[in-house]
Amino acid sequence: MHIADVTMFHAPASGGVRTYLQAKHRIFNRDADLRTSLLVPGAEHDSLGDHHYLPAMKLPLGQSYRFPLRTRPWRDALVDLAPDLIEAGDPYVTAWAALNAGRHLGVPVVGFYHSDLPRLMGDRFGNTVRRRLERYVVNLYSRFDSVLAPSQSMADRLYSLGLERVRVQPLGVDLDTFHPCKRHPELRQRLGLDDHSRLLIFVGRYSREKNIDVLLATMERLGSPYHMLLMGPGMPQKVPSNVTVVDRCVGTHEVARALASSDAMLHAGTRETFGLVAQEAMASGIPVIGARAGALIENIPLGAGILCTPLDPRAMADATEALFANDAAASGRYARRYVERHFDWDNVMSKLLNHYEELIDIGHGTRRRYG
């Protein structure tokens, strides 16, 4: 079985999509009966193992993302790869190229709806833009043989638009990389924190839907002994005195150490489609204080943290104090167990592979098992 992924959401500063694709290819490549290919934008035409790059325009202020402008080169590259199944990971040019290639090859094409484009753009440009993009999403994703959504809330969103072939496909967590044993006391020492300080953390890119301003206002309310580590590219420099900023793209192992060395994650995002960084925090053995919105509602269970009113620094500060008024460390241990049960990458990918097999079998009219 040969599976080809294509997406523009693959760059050094990209988040959940890149993590998902890396995990998929790592796990699937253990099986001699499976072959994977990844087609993504690059500065020039190139191939490195199963990674293939086509030239694409670099987006200004786009955190190293590149945007393909023409469908034909991507369609032709996919046809040349001749996979048994194609998965498109964005709703732009590469999605249409995947559909065209799939039609030419006679193979199933899957669309993974990683982000809610109409809502994200509607938040910025208003309801007229949102409605137009909703029509575009329906027109595009109704053409796929299967549509994957990373959470039930995202699947429900697609159902509400009238799409039917939707399947919840959660992401996963690398349980070895994100582990409580990665805790490093030196981090707290470098931040000048004593044993009584409570270290909160958020990791991600600076974008409107992350509501970083709510985090900063929450920290102003909390004051001492709370301190926050804010990590990611584009983060603001003007922050309260109890906030430390690491304004750059942070490597996975540095993130893992920082999460395990913190006491809790503070997450004000309201447009999370899965909330991968929250799951990585929980895998690291710390609870999450988050906004009661999006996928955080279904992926942060009672006992693994506290959810509060969105966009309300007072509510978030109160939730933080409530968490530490009880046994925050016990909440962190429960959070780790929860992620182990539900979001281990091997289990996640086993279910995804079964779905791929079903789609291919339907197309071929035969039955073949892998894995």
Side-chain angles (χ1 to χ4, degrees):
M1 181 194 288
H2 180 192
I3 300 160
D5 286 285
V6 59
T7 183
M8 66 158 282
F9 291 150
H10 194 277
S14 58
V17 178
R18 187 167 183 256
T19 300
Y20 160 75
L21 292 172
Q22 288 175 332
K24 180 199 289 190
H25 287 236
R26 181 180 71 250
I27 292 169
F28 284 3
N29 285 336
R30 296 175 191 161
D31 191 329
D33 290 328
L34 290 174
R35 177 188 168 199
T36 60
S37 296
L38 177 62
L39 183 63
V40 296
E44 58 187 14
H45 195 289
D46 197 10
S47 291
L48 296 171
D50 66 350
H51 285 43
H52 307 276
Y53 300 87
L54 287 183
M57 176 186 69
K58 190 172 183 179
L59 292 175
L61 306 176
Q63 297 178 341
S64 72
Y65 284 110
R66 294 179 178 273
F67 193 89
L69 297 176
R70 295 172 54 235
T71 303
R72 186 60 182 265
W74 295 80
R75 178 261 189 197
D76 290 348
L78 287 167
V79 169
D80 289 342
L81 288 171
D84 298 298
L85 179 143
I86 302 170
E87 182 176 300
D90 70 68
Y92 306 110
V93 169
T94 62
W96 293 103
L99 287 166
N100 290 341
R103 189 161 51 245
H104 178 86
L105 294 168
V107 301
V109 184
V110 175
F112 205 133
Y113 194 67
H114 285 285
S115 61
D116 193 345
L117 178 66
R119 279 185 173 165
L120 290 175
M121 292 298 101
D123 288 345
R124 290 169 171 79
F125 304 113
N127 287 332
T128 299
V129 170
R130 177 182 57 78
R131 287 191 293 269
R132 287 179 179 174
L133 287 173
E134 286 175 346
R135 291 193 291 270
Y136 172 80
V137 164
V138 171
N139 179 39
L140 172 61
Y141 283 89
S142 62
R143 300 168 188 262
F144 288 103
D145 296 283
S146 176
V147 178
L148 306 181
S151 62
Q152 187 62 54
S153 62
M154 282 287 279
D156 291 342
R157 169 80 170 134
L158 293 171
Y159 289 137
S160 73
L161 296 178
L163 293 167
E164 297 178 350
R165 294 187 296 275
V166 180
R167 179 180 186 272
V168 176
Q169 177 57 57
L171 306 186
V173 178
D174 185 334
L175 297 175
D176 293 326
T177 297
F178 296 95
H179 194 284
C181 73
K182 301 299 175 71
R183 186 177 182 89
H184 275 241
E186 292 84 358
L187 175 63
R188 303 171 76 95
Q189 294 170 8
R190 289 201 303 270
L191 294 173
L193 304 179
D194 59 31
D195 293 340
H196 301 290
S197 297
R198 291 158 178 173
L199 179 58
L200 308 175
I201 187 170
F202 179 74
V203 184
R205 67 186 187 281
Y206 181 77
S207 59
R208 181 174 179 175
E209 64 272 11
K210 302 298 182 183
N211 300 313
I212 303 301
D213 58 329
V214 175
L215 299 181
L216 300 180
T218 299
M219 294 309 298
E220 280 189 314
R221 285 186 170 276
L222 286 171
S224 180
Y226 296 95
H227 192 92
M228 184 169 203
L229 182 58
L230 197 58
M231 306 178 78
M235 290 297 180
Q237 298 300 309
K238 187 176 181 180
V239 298
S241 59
N242 61 341
V243 175
T244 298
V245 175
V246 178
D247 179 18
R248 57 181 169 80
C249 185
V250 187
T252 300
H253 293 289
E254 186 177 355
V255 171
R257 287 194 298 270
L259 289 173
S261 302
S262 301
D263 297 310
M265 167 165 280
L266 209 59
H267 196 324
T270 54
R271 294 300 191 205
E272 293 302 312
T273 60
F274 178 73
L276 181 59
V277 72
Q279 299 306 311
E280 292 171 342
M282 290 163 62
S284 302
I286 63 173
V288 177
I289 304 113
R292 191 180 294 109
L296 297 183
I297 295 174
E298 62 194 84
N299 287 338
I300 300 176
L302 184 66
I306 298 179
L307 298 180
C308 62
T309 304
L311 307 177
D312 187 339
R314 181 189 295 274
M316 183 158 276
D318 290 345
T320 303
E321 291 179 329
L323 177 74
F324 285 98
N326 294 290
D327 193 341
S331 293
R333 291 190 293 272
Y334 175 75
R336 168 70 189 188
R337 293 193 298 271
Y338 180 84
V339 175
E340 288 174 338
R341 287 195 303 270
H342 296 281
F343 300 118
D344 176 76
W345 270 124
D346 285 304
N347 294 334
V348 167
M349 287 303 163
S350 176
K351 294 175 182 177
L352 177 61
L353 184 57
N354 288 339
H355 183 55
Y356 286 165
E357 292 171 352
E358 292 169 358
L359 291 172
I360 292 171
D361 288 344
I362 290 170
H364 290 173
T366 61
R367 200 63 168 159
R368 184 181 177 189
R369 300 301 297 173
Y370 296 83

